[in-house]
Amino acid sequence: MNKIDYSQLIPNNVNLSDDRRLQRALEKWQPAYIDWWNEMGPNDTSDYEVYLRTAIDVGADGWAHFDMVKMPEYRWGIFLAENEQDREVNFGSHKGEAAWQVVPGEYRAELRRLIVTQGDTEPASVEQQRALGRTCPSLYDLRNLFQVNVEEGRHLWAMVYLLHAYFGRDGREEADEMLKRHAGGVDKPRILEAFNVDTVDWLSFYLFTYFQDRDGKYQLASLAESGFDPLSRSCRFMLTEEAHHMFVGETGVSRVVQRSAELIKEHDTMDIRQYGGIDLATLQKYVNYHFSICLDLFGQEKSTNAANFYSMGLKGRYLETKIDDDHLLGNDVYMVPEVQDGKIIKVEMPALTAINERLRDDYAEDCQRGVDRWNKTLVNAGVNFKITLPNSAFNRNIGNFVGIKATPDGQVISEEKWNANVDNWLPNDEDRAFIQTLMVPVTEPDKMASWVAQPAKGIHGQATDFEYVKFH
Ligand SMILES: [Fe+2]
Ligand SMILES: [Fe+2]
């Protein structure tokens, strides 16, 4: 059952045709999805042909097929990772029981909430990024944007399938709501704050795919540990797609760093805006912004919801089964930051209620790895600048640091001092306006915008100057 059946209206590897009721319900949702895509998805793409990958098999090797695809003809479907024989619930009070193939009645509301929250982020990011195609720095980048967009659309399909298949009428209603909430919507915004801000320039897009898709990775990885097996299998396959999104982010920023370093050396100044480059101080501000808003996505440091999800066996820790402890966390503790007497200190908390904080720490550690690689590029180029991630107290709107003003290196400061310095730490209107001036579309196959270096290699063995997108 690894192969995906493309002969059906909704390609799938879940034997959808065996369940006529479910099939009919999803076939009813599909036109609404297509309407949403046409209205809220990437602008102007109805005549585009794009070099896209499509999943044809969910096995570990060779699941993707690459070809020129007419954007409106992209086939979204329902793909679950392979069934793991004799899988068990691996943590919480049901540890050791067989993994659930149906929703445990007592956890129905909690599971639905987890699936809805995850599902809501997927179409949100498509909406946030919808105008970027008009200012692409190259065809290579444009293709990557659309690849990310269609896969986020498919991630919505993955969550909608679970809602339809396992949650009856309220699941179907939640699936409809997914297409009614919109990023930045006045009446019906997306559920999480970081998914309500438009991604208006490509520097932001690279940072979004580096930081925010990585939040996605950590959320999906924790849900992939779920005792509810269909959720686990959905998330496991989504993770394989997510890797490319983070690749787009990491290499995108890396190409900005490389180009900036070239301009700094060439003109012997850090002030490279006048030469069409992004100065590193501005890049740092964008890093500060995106990292800090993504830390909020992990929720409160102390969370009884997260503790409950864990004890119920619904959402685990990152790489749960590789952690060497009892997977119950009844007596364990975890260190959590908070402010005491104007200083940020770490205090002990029951590990169970600190599940969010642990995931946030795992995430931050992962974020640092790419930053280290960007810094290596600067060292190799002989540029004296180090990109850093801000302290977790910096610019936070959820949790222990709400209402606290802190510097990027973690000094608690007064409101006055914050106001006097915030322009050095976060992008201001002038920075954003400057970045916007660089957003001039480049659509010849062998050209690249002034502010970003060529990619090291093309997609799937193609040349970097391959015509990744054809406009008709
Ligand atoms: Fe996604
Ligand atoms: Fe993603």
Side-chain angles (χ1 to χ4, degrees), residues 326-366:
D326 67 359
H327 305 278
L328 302 171
L329 308 182
N331 305 308
D332 297 355
V333 292
Y334 195 79
M335 300 304 284
V336 171
E338 64 173 45
V339 176
Q340 266 181 32
D341 303 325
K343 286 215 158 47
I344 298 162
I345 56 156
K346 289 219 172 187
V347 294
E348 225 173 69
M349 197 197 274
L352 207 45
T353 45
I355 291 273
N356 283 346
E357 188 58 22
R358 180 180 176 124
L359 193 63
R360 184 165 24 237
D361 284 345
D362 290 338
Y363 166 80
E365 202 181 297
D366 194 16

Short mmCIF file of all heavy atoms in Angstrom, two decimals, residues 326-366:
data_model
loop_
_atom_site.label_atom_id
_atom_site.label_comp_id
_atom_site.label_asym_id
_atom_site.label_seq_id
_atom_site.Cartn_x
_atom_site.Cartn_y
_atom_site.Cartn_z
N ASP A 326 11.51 7.06 31.70
CA ASP A 326 10.35 6.16 31.83
C ASP A 326 9.17 6.56 30.93
O ASP A 326 8.16 5.86 30.88
CB ASP A 326 9.92 6.05 33.30
CG ASP A 326 9.36 7.37 33.83
OD1 ASP A 326 9.32 8.38 33.08
OD2 ASP A 326 8.97 7.40 35.01
N HIS A 327 9.26 7.70 30.24
CA HIS A 327 8.21 8.18 29.32
C HIS A 327 6.87 8.42 30.05
O HIS A 327 5.82 8.40 29.43
CB HIS A 327 8.03 7.22 28.14
CG HIS A 327 9.32 6.98 27.40
ND1 HIS A 327 9.80 7.84 26.45
CD2 HIS A 327 10.24 5.98 27.52
CE1 HIS A 327 10.97 7.38 25.99
NE2 HIS A 327 11.25 6.27 26.62
N LEU A 328 6.95 8.61 31.36
CA LEU A 328 5.77 8.96 32.15
C LEU A 328 5.97 10.33 32.78
O LEU A 328 5.04 11.09 32.98
CB LEU A 328 5.55 7.93 33.25
CG LEU A 328 5.36 6.47 32.79
CD1 LEU A 328 5.36 5.53 33.99
CD2 LEU A 328 4.09 6.32 31.99
N LEU A 329 7.23 10.60 33.14
CA LEU A 329 7.66 11.90 33.67
C LEU A 329 7.01 12.27 35.00
O LEU A 329 6.92 13.44 35.35
CB LEU A 329 7.40 13.03 32.65
CG LEU A 329 7.96 12.81 31.25
CD1 LEU A 329 7.67 14.01 30.37
CD2 LEU A 329 9.45 12.52 31.31
N GLY A 330 6.56 11.25 35.75
CA GLY A 330 5.90 11.52 37.03
C GLY A 330 6.78 12.26 38.02
O GLY A 330 6.31 13.12 38.77
N ASN A 331 8.07 11.96 38.06
CA ASN A 331 8.95 12.55 39.08
C ASN A 331 10.05 13.43 38.49
O ASN A 331 10.89 13.92 39.23
CB ASN A 331 9.61 11.43 39.89
CG ASN A 331 8.57 10.51 40.50
OD1 ASN A 331 7.63 10.97 41.15
ND2 ASN A 331 8.70 9.22 40.23
N ASP A 332 10.06 13.60 37.17
CA ASP A 332 11.18 14.31 36.55
C ASP A 332 10.98 15.82 36.61
O ASP A 332 9.87 16.32 36.75
CB ASP A 332 11.34 13.89 35.08
CG ASP A 332 11.67 12.41 34.96
OD1 ASP A 332 11.86 11.77 36.02
OD2 ASP A 332 11.70 11.89 33.84
N VAL A 333 12.10 16.52 36.53
CA VAL A 333 12.04 17.98 36.51
C VAL A 333 12.72 18.51 35.25
O VAL A 333 13.48 17.80 34.59
CB VAL A 333 12.71 18.60 37.75
CG1 VAL A 333 11.91 18.29 39.00
CG2 VAL A 333 14.16 18.16 37.87
N TYR A 334 12.44 19.77 34.94
CA TYR A 334 13.05 20.42 33.78
C TYR A 334 13.30 21.88 34.15
O TYR A 334 12.53 22.48 34.89
CB TYR A 334 12.12 20.32 32.57
CG TYR A 334 12.81 20.64 31.26
CD1 TYR A 334 13.62 19.71 30.64
CD2 TYR A 334 12.66 21.90 30.68
CE1 TYR A 334 14.27 20.00 29.45
CE2 TYR A 334 13.30 22.21 29.48
CZ TYR A 334 14.11 21.25 28.88
OH TYR A 334 14.75 21.55 27.71
N MET A 335 14.39 22.44 33.63
CA MET A 335 14.73 23.83 33.97
C MET A 335 14.05 24.79 32.99
O MET A 335 14.15 24.63 31.77
CB MET A 335 16.25 24.03 33.90
CG MET A 335 17.05 23.14 34.84
SD MET A 335 16.56 23.27 36.59
CE MET A 335 17.32 24.85 36.99
N VAL A 336 13.38 25.78 33.57
CA VAL A 336 12.58 26.71 32.77
C VAL A 336 12.99 28.15 33.12
O VAL A 336 13.16 28.47 34.29
CB VAL A 336 11.08 26.48 33.08
CG1 VAL A 336 10.22 27.54 32.46
CG2 VAL A 336 10.66 25.10 32.61
N PRO A 337 13.14 29.01 32.09
CA PRO A 337 13.57 30.38 32.40
C PRO A 337 12.41 31.26 32.88
O PRO A 337 11.27 31.09 32.46
CB PRO A 337 14.08 30.88 31.04
CG PRO A 337 13.27 30.14 30.04
CD PRO A 337 12.96 28.79 30.64
N GLU A 338 12.74 32.17 33.78
CA GLU A 338 11.77 33.19 34.18
C GLU A 338 12.54 34.39 34.71
O GLU A 338 13.76 34.34 34.86
CB GLU A 338 10.80 32.64 35.24
CG GLU A 338 11.45 32.25 36.54
CD GLU A 338 10.42 31.87 37.60
OE1 GLU A 338 9.48 31.13 37.28
OE2 GLU A 338 10.59 32.32 38.75
N VAL A 339 11.83 35.48 34.97
CA VAL A 339 12.49 36.67 35.48
C VAL A 339 12.29 36.76 36.98
O VAL A 339 11.17 36.63 37.48
CB VAL A 339 11.93 37.95 34.81
CG1 VAL A 339 12.54 39.20 35.42
CG2 VAL A 339 12.17 37.91 33.31
N GLN A 340 13.41 36.91 37.71
CA GLN A 340 13.33 37.16 39.15
C GLN A 340 14.27 38.31 39.49
O GLN A 340 15.44 38.27 39.12
CB GLN A 340 13.76 35.91 39.93
CG GLN A 340 12.58 35.02 40.32
CD GLN A 340 13.01 33.81 41.12
OE1 GLN A 340 13.99 33.87 41.87
NE2 GLN A 340 12.29 32.71 40.95
N ASP A 341 13.75 39.32 40.17
CA ASP A 341 14.53 40.50 40.55
C ASP A 341 15.28 41.10 39.36
O ASP A 341 16.48 41.39 39.45
CB ASP A 341 15.54 40.15 41.67
CG ASP A 341 14.84 39.57 42.88
OD1 ASP A 341 13.71 40.02 43.17
OD2 ASP A 341 15.40 38.66 43.52
N GLY A 342 14.60 41.22 38.25
CA GLY A 342 15.21 41.87 37.09
C GLY A 342 16.27 41.04 36.39
O GLY A 342 17.01 41.56 35.56
N LYS A 343 16.34 39.74 36.73
CA LYS A 343 17.31 38.88 36.05
C LYS A 343 16.61 37.65 35.50
O LYS A 343 15.64 37.16 36.08
CB LYS A 343 18.40 38.44 37.04
CG LYS A 343 19.39 39.52 37.40
CD LYS A 343 20.78 38.92 37.61
CE LYS A 343 21.88 39.95 37.43
NZ LYS A 343 21.60 41.21 38.16
N ILE A 344 17.13 37.16 34.37
CA ILE A 344 16.57 35.93 33.82
C ILE A 344 17.32 34.75 34.44
O ILE A 344 18.55 34.66 34.33
CB ILE A 344 16.71 35.91 32.28
CG1 ILE A 344 15.92 37.07 31.69
CG2 ILE A 344 16.23 34.58 31.72
CD1 ILE A 344 16.31 37.42 30.27
N ILE A 345 16.58 33.92 35.13
CA ILE A 345 17.20 32.75 35.75
C ILE A 345 16.42 31.50 35.34
O ILE A 345 15.35 31.59 34.75
CB ILE A 345 17.19 32.86 37.30
CG1 ILE A 345 15.75 33.06 37.78
CG2 ILE A 345 18.09 33.99 37.77
CD1 ILE A 345 15.54 32.62 39.19
N LYS A 346 17.00 30.34 35.63
CA LYS A 346 16.28 29.10 35.33
C LYS A 346 15.83 28.47 36.64
O LYS A 346 16.57 28.43 37.61
CB LYS A 346 17.19 28.14 34.57
CG LYS A 346 17.45 28.61 33.15
CD LYS A 346 17.48 27.45 32.16
CE LYS A 346 17.53 27.95 30.74
NZ LYS A 346 17.38 26.88 29.75
N VAL A 347 14.58 28.03 36.63
CA VAL A 347 14.04 27.39 37.83
C VAL A 347 13.53 25.99 37.47
O VAL A 347 13.18 25.71 36.32
CB VAL A 347 12.87 28.20 38.44
CG1 VAL A 347 13.36 29.54 38.94
CG2 VAL A 347 11.75 28.39 37.43
N GLU A 348 13.52 25.14 38.48
CA GLU A 348 13.09 23.77 38.28
C GLU A 348 11.57 23.68 38.20
O GLU A 348 10.87 24.35 38.98
CB GLU A 348 13.56 22.94 39.49
CG GLU A 348 14.17 21.64 39.13
CD GLU A 348 14.75 20.98 40.37
OE1 GLU A 348 13.97 20.56 41.25
OE2 GLU A 348 15.99 20.89 40.44
N MET A 349 11.09 22.89 37.30
CA MET A 349 9.64 22.71 37.17
C MET A 349 9.38 21.23 36.87
O MET A 349 10.24 20.56 36.31
CB MET A 349 9.14 23.57 36.02
CG MET A 349 7.65 23.78 36.04
SD MET A 349 7.07 24.37 34.47
CE MET A 349 7.34 26.08 34.70
N PRO A 350 8.20 20.71 37.26
CA PRO A 350 7.90 19.33 36.88
C PRO A 350 8.01 19.17 35.35
O PRO A 350 7.49 20.00 34.61
CB PRO A 350 6.45 19.14 37.35
CG PRO A 350 6.24 20.15 38.42
CD PRO A 350 7.12 21.31 38.06
N ALA A 351 8.71 18.14 34.92
CA ALA A 351 8.97 17.96 33.48
C ALA A 351 7.67 17.85 32.69
O ALA A 351 7.60 18.26 31.54
CB ALA A 351 9.82 16.71 33.26
N LEU A 352 6.65 17.30 33.35
CA LEU A 352 5.38 17.10 32.66
C LEU A 352 4.74 18.43 32.23
O LEU A 352 4.25 18.55 31.11
CB LEU A 352 4.44 16.33 33.60
CG LEU A 352 3.35 15.45 33.00
CD1 LEU A 352 3.86 14.59 31.87
CD2 LEU A 352 2.74 14.59 34.10
N THR A 353 4.77 19.42 33.11
CA THR A 353 4.17 20.70 32.75
C THR A 353 5.14 21.56 31.91
O THR A 353 4.75 22.60 31.40
CB THR A 353 3.73 21.51 33.99
OG1 THR A 353 4.75 21.46 34.95
CG2 THR A 353 2.43 20.97 34.55
N ALA A 354 6.40 21.10 31.77
CA ALA A 354 7.38 21.88 31.01
C ALA A 354 7.62 21.28 29.62
O ALA A 354 8.62 21.58 28.97
CB ALA A 354 8.70 21.94 31.78
N ILE A 355 6.68 20.48 29.14
CA ILE A 355 6.83 19.83 27.83
C ILE A 355 7.04 20.85 26.72
O ILE A 355 7.89 20.67 25.84
CB ILE A 355 5.55 18.99 27.52
CG1 ILE A 355 5.46 17.79 28.45
CG2 ILE A 355 5.49 18.60 26.05
CD1 ILE A 355 6.20 16.57 27.98
N ASN A 356 6.29 21.94 26.76
CA ASN A 356 6.44 22.98 25.72
C ASN A 356 7.85 23.55 25.72
O ASN A 356 8.43 23.80 24.67
CB ASN A 356 5.48 24.15 25.99
CG ASN A 356 4.05 23.82 25.60
OD1 ASN A 356 3.81 22.85 24.89
ND2 ASN A 356 3.10 24.63 26.07
N GLU A 357 8.36 23.79 26.94
CA GLU A 357 9.67 24.42 27.05
C GLU A 357 10.77 23.49 26.51
O GLU A 357 11.70 23.93 25.85
CB GLU A 357 9.96 24.78 28.52
CG GLU A 357 11.21 25.59 28.73
CD GLU A 357 11.21 26.91 27.96
OE1 GLU A 357 10.12 27.39 27.61
OE2 GLU A 357 12.30 27.43 27.70
N ARG A 358 10.60 22.23 26.77
CA ARG A 358 11.58 21.27 26.27
C ARG A 358 11.60 21.27 24.74
O ARG A 358 12.65 21.27 24.11
CB ARG A 358 11.26 19.87 26.80
CG ARG A 358 12.27 18.86 26.28
CD ARG A 358 12.00 17.45 26.77
NE ARG A 358 12.97 16.58 26.13
CZ ARG A 358 13.80 15.78 26.79
NH1 ARG A 358 13.76 15.71 28.09
NH2 ARG A 358 14.66 15.03 26.13
N LEU A 359 10.41 21.30 24.14
CA LEU A 359 10.34 21.32 22.67
C LEU A 359 10.94 22.61 22.12
O LEU A 359 11.63 22.61 21.11
CB LEU A 359 8.88 21.15 22.21
CG LEU A 359 8.68 20.83 20.73
CD1 LEU A 359 9.32 19.50 20.35
CD2 LEU A 359 7.20 20.82 20.36
N ARG A 360 10.67 23.72 22.85
CA ARG A 360 11.23 25.01 22.43
C ARG A 360 12.77 24.96 22.48
O ARG A 360 13.44 25.45 21.58
CB ARG A 360 10.69 26.13 23.32
CG ARG A 360 11.16 27.50 22.90
CD ARG A 360 10.37 28.66 23.51
NE ARG A 360 9.70 28.36 24.75
CZ ARG A 360 8.40 28.50 24.94
NH1 ARG A 360 7.63 28.98 23.99
NH2 ARG A 360 7.85 28.18 26.11
N ASP A 361 13.30 24.34 23.52
CA ASP A 361 14.76 24.21 23.63
C ASP A 361 15.33 23.35 22.50
O ASP A 361 16.36 23.68 21.92
CB ASP A 361 15.14 23.58 24.98
CG ASP A 361 15.01 24.58 26.13
OD1 ASP A 361 14.91 25.80 25.86
OD2 ASP A 361 15.01 24.13 27.30
N ASP A 362 14.66 22.24 22.21
CA ASP A 362 15.12 21.37 21.11
C ASP A 362 15.13 22.15 19.80
O ASP A 362 16.05 22.04 18.99
CB ASP A 362 14.20 20.15 20.95
CG ASP A 362 14.33 19.16 22.11
OD1 ASP A 362 15.38 19.18 22.79
OD2 ASP A 362 13.39 18.37 22.32
N TYR A 363 14.09 22.93 19.62
CA TYR A 363 13.95 23.75 18.42
C TYR A 363 15.08 24.79 18.32
O TYR A 363 15.72 24.94 17.29
CB TYR A 363 12.58 24.44 18.45
CG TYR A 363 12.41 25.57 17.47
CD1 TYR A 363 12.13 25.31 16.13
CD2 TYR A 363 12.50 26.91 17.88
CE1 TYR A 363 11.96 26.36 15.22
CE2 TYR A 363 12.34 27.95 16.99
CZ TYR A 363 12.07 27.67 15.66
OH TYR A 363 11.90 28.70 14.77
N ALA A 364 15.31 25.50 19.42
CA ALA A 364 16.32 26.56 19.41
C ALA A 364 17.70 25.98 19.10
O ALA A 364 18.49 26.58 18.36
CB ALA A 364 16.34 27.28 20.76
N GLU A 365 17.96 24.82 19.64
CA GLU A 365 19.25 24.16 19.40
C GLU A 365 19.40 23.85 17.90
O GLU A 365 20.46 24.03 17.32
CB GLU A 365 19.28 22.87 20.22
CG GLU A 365 20.65 22.33 20.51
CD GLU A 365 20.52 21.04 21.30
OE1 GLU A 365 20.00 21.08 22.45
OE2 GLU A 365 20.90 19.99 20.76
N ASP A 366 18.33 23.38 17.32
CA ASP A 366 18.33 23.06 15.89
C ASP A 366 18.53 24.34 15.06
O ASP A 366 19.29 24.35 14.09
CB ASP A 366 17.00 22.36 15.53
CG ASP A 366 17.05 21.69 14.16
OD1 ASP A 366 18.15 21.49 13.62
OD2 ASP A 366 15.96 21.35 13.65
#
